[in-house]
Amino acid sequence: MTETNGNANRQIARAAGTVMFAILLGQITGLARGVIVARAFGASPELDAFFAANRVSETLFLLVAGGALGSAFIPMFTGLLAKNEKDSAWRLASSIANAVTLTLSLLALLVAVFAPQVVRYALAPGLSSDPQLFTLTISLLRIQLISAVLFGIGGLFVGILNAHQVFLLPALTPAFYQIGIIFGAIVLAPSLGIYGLAWGVVIGSVLYVALQLPSLVKLITRHSSFSAFHISLGLQDSNVRQVLLLMGPRLIGVAVVQLNFWVNTWLASQMASGSVSGLYYGFSLMLMAQAAIAQSVAIAAMPTFSAQHALGQTDEMRTSLASSLRGVILLALPASIGLMLLREPLISMLYQRGKFDGNDVQIVSWALLWYAAGIVGHSIMEILTRAFYAQHDTKTPVIIGTIAMGLNVLFSILFAKLFASIGWMPHGGLALANSFATALEAATLFIVMRKRLKGIEGPHIMGGVIPSTAAAIVMALSIFGWLSVGKNLSTWILALIGVMIGGGIYFGMLWILRVPELQYIVSGVLRRLKRN
């Protein structure tokens, strides 16, 4: 490994550690949000309406802001900065900010007008059969549309700060979003009911934007970039046109992914009461682990991948990508197994209080079982898609993702029917479909990227996968034994000691097998302790 490769990988590792800390804080806050909301509303029809309504604003944000920022804006903006074309970079940021704000505002207004039709025919027909739930879902949808516009602006701020290697503050913003919802649940919900949660979403989105403003203003002032800002869409700018061109395929990909979530909501709304909420809670717990593991590395690696591509450093990018993949597999594998085995005591420990009863625990744990099986696939895909976007290639992952998500919809229908026919809760089939399709997508992306880069240092990756798998097997047997021995203990003891046993044995095995990543982390911690 050359010195340049080592520096790039260390930069990614340091940034990933920073982002992981912030994401963990955000996930802990989100977990607290989930506990508070579950206690207040359980897995009730009202909460089903809230989650269904939230799907609309989330889709609008991901279609416009997510598609533009993740796949097109960040690589272009970072590439211009790497080439020291700062004025062009900031003009691009101004134009995209105007476009995102205008587009999201118009779409939000359009959806608000046609909200009854959206809910009845596209989102949740099962909820439409109850007039009160139908009206409630429409009202909650309209309130939460405000957050789509704010998240679009905030997402652009995140991209700008990340491109300047500022990771901590943007990564903390999700925690403040969760704080807004917690405020809605604790302060507003007692008087406003489920409407308090909807207004909490809006408050959280305001905090999401406001937290980043001081750092953004400081950054703009430092680079004297105020002159680059304007009120036009900048369509005459070749960089803006390139972002829009790159954004097109990505929009299709995001639309297909969101279509799958809409199909799941559509199907779950016609299943047993609480199925929509069960899928949401299960997916959120899976995403909590995946975000801390893969998103932290992907967010940190994206600017490095983009700069390496802009400077023609293919060998360096190959090495950085291999190291990133090896690192996420090292952490995703035990997370997947741990959540699958400890799902019931964990969910009971976290949520079973207030209106959230034992039946709700079974609904959520059944979804989590099948979602958790897909953590490795989700994590690998998270890294690989960023590598494609860094190469200004949005078509390849979109084509592969579109096929995979099309299969996801098909699998959702088939698996739900299969589960129902054998007496299993059918919403688990929807979760399994997501995990299966994601695994196929990740495998295909890996094959294509390996061909493009003429290899992704397979022996280096397998050098981490083999000991990780061996350690995970020993960990699984240990947790299974603990669950058998302690089955009559309280869920708190069962869950907490289970996590400690699993984590201790897994990382202990990695230490015995001399996995360098673990030894590097331990050595770094020891060095810091000595300095203090």
Side-chain angles (χ1 to χ4, degrees), residues 154-301:
L156 180 71
F157 293 170
V158 169
I160 292 172
L161 293 174
N162 284 173
H164 286 85
Q165 299 294 321
V166 178
F167 294 103
L168 180 58
L169 196 61
L172 287 173
T173 51
F176 281 77
Y177 167 63
Q178 303 293 356
I179 289 172
I181 300 178
I182 290 173
F183 177 84
I186 295 177
V187 179
L188 302 180
S191 58
L192 299 178
I194 197 70
Y195 289 100
L197 282 187
W199 285 112
V201 168
V202 176
I203 294 170
S205 63
V206 171
L207 294 175
Y208 183 89
V209 174
L211 183 66
Q212 300 180 79
L213 282 174
S215 294
L216 184 68
V217 171
K218 182 179 180 181
L219 195 63
I220 295 172
T221 304
R222 185 191 309 160
H223 293 289
S224 303
S225 303
F226 282 108
S227 61
F229 285 86
H230 50 79
I231 59 173
S232 73
L233 299 179
L235 296 179
Q236 73 283 357
D237 188 332
S238 61
N239 293 318
V240 174
R241 293 197 299 271
Q242 180 68 10
V243 168
L244 295 177
L245 183 64
L246 291 171
M247 181 180 170
R250 175 59 176 159
L251 280 177
I252 297 173
V254 173
V256 172
V257 172
Q258 289 302 305
L259 174 62
N260 173 72
F261 286 121
W262 280 57
V263 168
N264 280 359
T265 302
W266 192 87
L267 291 171
S269 73
Q270 301 173 71
M271 296 176 184
S273 177
S275 294
V276 175
S277 298
L279 286 173
Y280 176 84
Y281 279 119
F283 188 77
S284 296
L285 287 171
M286 183 280 293
L287 197 62
M288 191 176 299
Q290 187 265 354
I293 294 165
Q295 288 185 24
S296 57
V297 177
I299 290 170

Side-chain angles (χ1 to χ4, degrees), residues 93-425:
S94 178
S95 298
I96 297 301
N98 296 333
V100 166
T101 303
L102 177 63
T103 304
L104 281 172
S105 298
L106 292 176
L107 286 175
L109 180 61
L110 186 65
V111 172
V113 172
F114 293 99
Q117 291 78 15
V118 170
V119 174
R120 185 183 300 276
Y121 299 112
L123 183 62
L127 300 180
S128 303
S129 60
D130 185 326
Q132 289 185 335
L133 276 181
F134 178 60
T135 303
L136 175 64
T137 306
I138 293 170
S139 300
L140 295 174
L141 188 159
R142 286 171 171 162
I143 292 171
Q144 293 181 81
L145 283 171
I146 302 170
S147 67
V149 181
L150 293 171
F151 275 127
I153 299 170
L156 180 71
F157 293 170
V158 169
I160 292 172
L161 293 174
N162 284 173
H164 286 85
Q165 299 294 321
V166 178
F167 294 103
L168 180 58
L169 196 61
L172 287 173
T173 51
F176 281 77
Y177 167 63
Q178 303 293 356
I179 289 172
I181 300 178
I182 290 173
F183 177 84
I186 295 177
V187 179
L188 302 180
S191 58
L192 299 178
I194 197 70
Y195 289 100
L197 282 187
W199 285 112
V201 168
V202 176
I203 294 170
S205 63
V206 171
L207 294 175
Y208 183 89
V209 174
L211 183 66
Q212 300 180 79
L213 282 174
S215 294
L216 184 68
V217 171
K218 182 179 180 181
L219 195 63
I220 295 172
T221 304
R222 185 191 309 160
H223 293 289
S224 303
S225 303
F226 282 108
S227 61
F229 285 86
H230 50 79
I231 59 173
S232 73
L233 299 179
L235 296 179
Q236 73 283 357
D237 188 332
S238 61
N239 293 318
V240 174
R241 293 197 299 271
Q242 180 68 10
V243 168
L244 295 177
L245 183 64
L246 291 171
M247 181 180 170
R250 175 59 176 159
L251 280 177
I252 297 173
V254 173
V256 172
V257 172
Q258 289 302 305
L259 174 62
N260 173 72
F261 286 121
W262 280 57
V263 168
N264 280 359
T265 302
W266 192 87
L267 291 171
S269 73
Q270 301 173 71
M271 296 176 184
S273 177
S275 294
V276 175
S277 298
L279 286 173
Y280 176 84
Y281 279 119
F283 188 77
S284 296
L285 287 171
M286 183 280 293
L287 197 62
M288 191 176 299
Q290 187 265 354
I293 294 165
Q295 288 185 24
S296 57
V297 177
I299 290 170
M302 182 70 168
T304 300
F305 289 164
S306 299
Q308 288 169 338
H309 175 73
L311 299 175
Q313 298 173 340
T314 303
D315 292 340
E316 288 82 352
M317 183 175 178
R318 184 189 302 115
T319 299
S320 296
L321 178 58
S323 297
S324 298
L325 289 172
R326 175 171 158 146
V328 297
I329 292 172
L330 189 79
L331 296 174
L333 194 57
S336 175
I337 293 173
L339 281 177
M340 291 175 72
L341 293 177
L342 294 169
R343 63 191 185 280
E344 286 194 23
L346 280 172
I347 292 168
S348 180
M349 179 187 73
L350 294 172
Y351 299 131
Q352 192 171 1
R353 57 185 59 84
K355 293 186 178 181
F356 198 99
D357 58 22
N359 182 60
D360 295 335
V361 170
Q362 294 301 314
I363 291 174
V364 176
S365 65
W366 186 243
L368 179 58
L369 169 65
W370 303 106
Y371 275 133
I375 290 179
V376 175
H378 277 284
S379 299
I380 292 174
M381 188 182 68
E382 190 81 29
I383 304 298
L384 288 171
T385 51
R386 303 299 173 102
F388 278 102
Y389 299 154
Q391 296 175 330
H392 297 186
D393 178 7
T394 54
K395 291 182 180 179
T396 300
V398 164
I399 292 172
I400 295 171
T402 299
I403 295 172
M405 291 304 104
L407 290 174
N408 196 344
V409 173
L410 177 62
F411 294 154
S412 293
I413 297 171
L414 293 178
F415 290 167
K417 290 183 177 180
L418 174 63
F419 276 36
S421 68
I422 58 180
W424 292 357
M425 288 183 281

